[in-house]
Amino acid sequence: MVTTTYQVQGMTCGHCVNSVSAEVGAIEGVTGVEVDLATGRATVTSQSPLDTDSVRAAVDEAGYDLVGAGRVTDETEVPR
């Protein structure tokens, strides 16, 4: 599993958080999304590293802006 943190700009309410969570959560391989409105951070857990362009497109579809690239904060090998 890989955990990556992204910075999202333009969110102002709970609906914003839900929109970003839903769009990013729909990306293939994503297993979890936590969005913190106060910091603008979206922490995404996925089966493998995500393509930043895919995350940017999902955030854009939700109506917000992805700032920079994501930062991998944890990468754990999953036993098979």
Side-chain angles (χ1 to χ4, degrees), residues 3-77:
T3 302
T4 309
T5 302
Y6 299 92
Q7 190 67 39
V8 179
Q9 191 171 30
M11 297 185 298
T12 59
C13 65
H15 174 41
C16 301
V17 169
N18 292 339
S19 295
V20 170
S21 296
E23 291 295 337
V24 174
I27 298 172
E28 186 174 339
V30 170
T31 58
V33 180
E34 290 182 30
V35 179
D36 185 322
L37 178 61
T39 63
R41 289 192 190 107
T43 303
V44 182
T45 306
S46 55
Q47 295 170 347
S48 60
L50 297 174
D51 175 54
T52 302
D53 289 338
S54 297
V55 178
R56 187 175 310 282
V59 170
D60 185 59
E61 181 67 27
Y64 308 97
D65 297 310
L66 186 68
V67 179
R71 183 173 56 89
V72 175
T73 54
D74 185 28
E75 194 164 356
T76 307
E77 190 66 34

